[in-house]
């Protein structure tokens, strides 16, 4: 399983979230992404590397270019964790609500 720490650390950076948003539209090269975010191509490559290590992005060589795409499995891990945490809180709040309603 991918480290949730690495996943959430990768998503904590606003530029990386912008990169993820760009890739949500379609796979793209670092040059194409750099045209859409306010950082250099070199910075985009570093951000993509962090996202790739976190399991959120996959790279494929396309001739001379490297094309990046989002990998859903990394996001699935995050959603599963958040769902578990949310369910636990929902259960706690339901108990509290029943307690308050009895008074």
């Amino acid at each position: 399983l991918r480290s949730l720490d690495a996943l959430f650390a990768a998503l904590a950076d606003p530029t990386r979230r912008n990169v993820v948003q760009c890739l949500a539209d379609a796979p793209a090269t670092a040059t194409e992404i750099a045209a859409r975010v306010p950082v250099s191509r070199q910075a985009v490559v570093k951000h993509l590397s962090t996202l790739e290590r976190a399991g959120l992005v996959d790279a494929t060589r396309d001739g001379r270019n490297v094309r990046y795409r989002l990998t859903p499995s990394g996001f699935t891990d995050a959603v599963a964790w958040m769902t578990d945490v949310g369910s636990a809180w929902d259960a706690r709040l339901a108990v509290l609500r029943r307690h308050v309603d009895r008074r």
Side-chain angles (χ1 to χ4, degrees):
L1 248 206
R2 287 174 192 81
S3 167
L4 286 176
D5 291 342
L7 186 142
F8 285 115
L11 292 175
D13 184 276
T15 301
R16 283 193 285 272
R17 288 193 306 272
N18 285 337
V19 169
V20 167
Q21 188 61 49
C22 289
L23 291 174
D25 297 334
T29 65
T31 302
E32 292 166 343
I33 295 167
R36 297 177 58 189
V37 298
V39 296
S40 69
R41 182 193 174 285
Q42 289 172 321
V44 166
V45 170
K46 288 182 181 182
H47 287 298
L48 286 164
S49 176
T50 299
L51 291 167
E52 190 172 13
R53 283 192 308 274
L56 299 172
V57 170
D58 186 25
T60 306
R61 183 156 291 282
D62 180 18
R64 290 183 45 178
N65 296 316
V66 177
R67 192 158 288 284
Y68 297 88
R69 67 177 180 88
L70 293 180
T71 52
S73 62
F75 292 98
T76 302
D77 294 345
V79 168
W81 181 82
M82 288 185 281
T83 300
D84 289 346
V85 170
S87 294
W89 273 104
D90 287 344
R92 289 181 187 116
L93 290 172
V95 169
L96 179 61
R97 182 171 291 121
R98 285 192 301 272
H99 178 72
V100 169
D101 288 345
R102 282 189 301 231
R103 294 186 159 246

